[in-house]
Short mmCIF file of all heavy atoms in Angstrom, two decimals:
data_model
loop_
_atom_site.label_atom_id
_atom_site.label_comp_id
_atom_site.label_asym_id
_atom_site.label_seq_id
_atom_site.Cartn_x
_atom_site.Cartn_y
_atom_site.Cartn_z
N MET W 30 -38.46 34.16 -14.42
CA MET W 30 -37.97 33.58 -13.18
C MET W 30 -37.78 34.68 -12.15
O MET W 30 -37.26 35.75 -12.44
CB MET W 30 -36.65 32.86 -13.44
CG MET W 30 -36.09 32.21 -12.22
SD MET W 30 -34.62 31.27 -12.70
CE MET W 30 -33.98 30.96 -11.12
N ALA W 31 -38.20 34.45 -10.94
CA ALA W 31 -38.08 35.42 -9.87
C ALA W 31 -36.63 35.56 -9.44
O ALA W 31 -35.82 34.67 -9.62
CB ALA W 31 -38.92 34.99 -8.68
N GLY W 32 -36.31 36.73 -8.84
CA GLY W 32 -34.97 36.96 -8.33
C GLY W 32 -34.70 36.10 -7.11
O GLY W 32 -35.58 35.43 -6.58
N ALA W 33 -33.48 36.13 -6.65
CA ALA W 33 -33.07 35.34 -5.50
C ALA W 33 -33.41 36.05 -4.19
O ALA W 33 -33.40 37.27 -4.12
CB ALA W 33 -31.57 35.09 -5.56
N LEU W 34 -33.72 35.26 -3.17
CA LEU W 34 -33.92 35.79 -1.83
C LEU W 34 -32.63 36.47 -1.38
O LEU W 34 -31.53 35.98 -1.67
CB LEU W 34 -34.26 34.63 -0.90
CG LEU W 34 -34.55 35.00 0.55
CD1 LEU W 34 -35.69 34.15 1.06
CD2 LEU W 34 -33.32 34.91 1.41
N LYS W 35 -32.77 37.59 -0.68
CA LYS W 35 -31.59 38.33 -0.21
C LYS W 35 -31.75 38.69 1.25
O LYS W 35 -32.84 39.03 1.70
CB LYS W 35 -31.40 39.61 -1.03
CG LYS W 35 -31.14 39.34 -2.49
CD LYS W 35 -30.99 40.62 -3.27
CE LYS W 35 -30.78 40.26 -4.74
NZ LYS W 35 -30.66 41.41 -5.58
N VAL W 36 -30.66 38.61 1.99
CA VAL W 36 -30.63 39.08 3.37
C VAL W 36 -29.88 40.40 3.35
O VAL W 36 -28.77 40.49 2.84
CB VAL W 36 -29.90 38.07 4.29
CG1 VAL W 36 -29.73 38.66 5.69
CG2 VAL W 36 -30.66 36.75 4.33
N ILE W 37 -30.52 41.43 3.90
CA ILE W 37 -29.91 42.75 3.93
C ILE W 37 -29.41 42.99 5.35
O ILE W 37 -30.19 43.08 6.30
CB ILE W 37 -30.91 43.85 3.50
CG1 ILE W 37 -31.33 43.67 2.04
CG2 ILE W 37 -30.30 45.22 3.67
CD1 ILE W 37 -32.30 42.60 1.81
N ARG W 38 -28.11 43.07 5.50
CA ARG W 38 -27.49 43.30 6.80
C ARG W 38 -27.58 44.79 7.17
O ARG W 38 -27.75 45.63 6.29
CB ARG W 38 -26.02 42.87 6.77
CG ARG W 38 -25.79 41.48 6.24
CD ARG W 38 -26.02 40.43 7.29
NE ARG W 38 -25.80 39.10 6.70
CZ ARG W 38 -26.46 38.04 7.04
NH1 ARG W 38 -27.39 38.10 7.97
NH2 ARG W 38 -26.21 36.88 6.49
N ALA W 39 -27.45 45.09 8.44
CA ALA W 39 -27.49 46.49 8.90
C ALA W 39 -26.49 47.35 8.12
O ALA W 39 -26.80 48.47 7.74
CB ALA W 39 -27.23 46.56 10.39
N ALA W 40 -25.33 46.81 7.84
CA ALA W 40 -24.30 47.57 7.12
C ALA W 40 -24.66 47.82 5.66
O ALA W 40 -24.06 48.68 5.01
CB ALA W 40 -22.96 46.84 7.21
N ASP W 41 -25.63 47.07 5.13
CA ASP W 41 -26.04 47.22 3.73
C ASP W 41 -27.07 48.33 3.53
O ASP W 41 -27.31 48.75 2.40
CB ASP W 41 -26.65 45.91 3.21
CG ASP W 41 -25.67 44.76 3.23
OD1 ASP W 41 -24.44 45.01 3.10
OD2 ASP W 41 -26.12 43.61 3.38
N ARG W 42 -27.69 48.80 4.61
CA ARG W 42 -28.71 49.84 4.48
C ARG W 42 -28.07 51.13 4.01
O ARG W 42 -26.90 51.41 4.29
CB ARG W 42 -29.44 50.03 5.80
CG ARG W 42 -30.19 48.78 6.22
CD ARG W 42 -31.12 49.00 7.38
NE ARG W 42 -30.51 49.59 8.54
CZ ARG W 42 -30.57 49.07 9.76
NH1 ARG W 42 -31.22 47.94 9.97
NH2 ARG W 42 -30.00 49.69 10.78
N LYS W 43 -28.88 51.95 3.31
CA LYS W 43 -28.40 53.22 2.76
C LYS W 43 -29.22 54.37 3.30
O LYS W 43 -30.45 54.28 3.38
CB LYS W 43 -28.51 53.21 1.23
CG LYS W 43 -27.80 52.07 0.55
CD LYS W 43 -26.31 52.25 0.60
CE LYS W 43 -25.64 51.12 -0.18
NZ LYS W 43 -24.38 50.73 0.34
N PRO W 44 -28.59 55.49 3.67
CA PRO W 44 -29.33 56.67 4.11
C PRO W 44 -30.36 57.09 3.06
O PRO W 44 -30.12 56.97 1.86
CB PRO W 44 -28.26 57.74 4.27
CG PRO W 44 -26.99 56.98 4.45
CD PRO W 44 -27.16 55.72 3.63
N ASP W 45 -31.51 57.56 3.53
CA ASP W 45 -32.59 57.98 2.64
C ASP W 45 -33.13 59.32 3.13
O ASP W 45 -32.82 59.75 4.24
CB ASP W 45 -33.70 56.91 2.61
CG ASP W 45 -34.53 56.96 1.35
OD1 ASP W 45 -34.56 58.01 0.68
OD2 ASP W 45 -35.19 55.96 1.04
N VAL W 46 -33.94 59.95 2.32
CA VAL W 46 -34.52 61.25 2.65
C VAL W 46 -35.38 61.12 3.89
O VAL W 46 -36.21 60.22 4.00
CB VAL W 46 -35.37 61.77 1.47
CG1 VAL W 46 -36.08 63.07 1.85
CG2 VAL W 46 -34.49 61.97 0.24
N ALA W 47 -35.19 62.02 4.84
CA ALA W 47 -35.95 62.03 6.08
C ALA W 47 -36.46 63.43 6.35
O ALA W 47 -36.14 64.36 5.62
CB ALA W 47 -35.08 61.54 7.24
N SER W 48 -37.23 63.56 7.40
CA SER W 48 -37.83 64.84 7.77
C SER W 48 -37.38 65.23 9.17
O SER W 48 -37.41 64.41 10.09
CB SER W 48 -39.35 64.71 7.72
OG SER W 48 -39.96 65.89 8.18
N GLY W 49 -36.97 66.47 9.35
CA GLY W 49 -36.58 66.94 10.67
C GLY W 49 -35.41 66.16 11.23
O GLY W 49 -34.45 65.87 10.53
N ALA W 50 -35.52 65.76 12.49
CA ALA W 50 -34.42 65.08 13.19
C ALA W 50 -34.37 63.57 12.92
O ALA W 50 -33.52 62.88 13.47
CB ALA W 50 -34.56 65.31 14.69
N MET W 51 -35.27 63.07 12.07
CA MET W 51 -35.31 61.63 11.81
C MET W 51 -34.08 61.16 11.04
O MET W 51 -33.55 61.88 10.20
CB MET W 51 -36.55 61.28 10.97
CG MET W 51 -37.84 61.64 11.61
SD MET W 51 -39.22 61.33 10.49
CE MET W 51 -39.48 59.63 10.86
N ARG W 52 -33.68 59.92 11.30
CA ARG W 52 -32.66 59.26 10.49
C ARG W 52 -33.33 58.07 9.82
O ARG W 52 -33.83 57.17 10.50
CB ARG W 52 -31.48 58.79 11.35
CG ARG W 52 -30.31 58.34 10.47
CD ARG W 52 -29.19 57.76 11.27
NE ARG W 52 -29.54 56.34 11.46
CZ ARG W 52 -29.22 55.63 12.52
NH1 ARG W 52 -28.56 56.14 13.50
NH2 ARG W 52 -29.57 54.36 12.60
N ARG W 53 -33.40 58.08 8.49
CA ARG W 53 -34.08 57.02 7.74
C ARG W 53 -33.06 56.29 6.87
O ARG W 53 -32.24 56.93 6.21
CB ARG W 53 -35.18 57.65 6.86
CG ARG W 53 -35.97 56.63 6.08
CD ARG W 53 -37.09 57.28 5.29
NE ARG W 53 -38.15 57.65 6.21
CZ ARG W 53 -38.87 58.77 6.13
NH1 ARG W 53 -38.65 59.63 5.18
NH2 ARG W 53 -39.81 59.02 7.00
N GLU W 54 -33.13 54.95 6.88
CA GLU W 54 -32.26 54.14 6.05
C GLU W 54 -33.10 53.14 5.25
O GLU W 54 -33.98 52.49 5.81
CB GLU W 54 -31.26 53.35 6.90
CG GLU W 54 -30.26 54.21 7.60
CD GLU W 54 -29.27 53.41 8.41
OE1 GLU W 54 -29.61 52.30 8.89
OE2 GLU W 54 -28.13 53.89 8.56
N ALA W 55 -32.81 53.05 3.96
CA ALA W 55 -33.47 52.08 3.10
C ALA W 55 -32.85 50.71 3.29
O ALA W 55 -31.63 50.59 3.43
CB ALA W 55 -33.35 52.51 1.64
N ALA W 56 -33.68 49.67 3.31
CA ALA W 56 -33.20 48.29 3.38
C ALA W 56 -33.69 47.51 2.17
O ALA W 56 -32.93 46.83 1.50
CB ALA W 56 -33.67 47.63 4.67
#
Side-chain angles (χ1 to χ4, degrees):
M30 181 175 168
L34 182 141
K35 297 179 182 179
V36 173
I37 296 77
R38 309 278 179 214
D41 298 331
R42 297 191 306 234
K43 304 288 184 212
D45 204 339
V46 175
S48 175
M51 301 175 86
R52 190 185 85 212
R53 182 176 286 142
E54 293 181 331

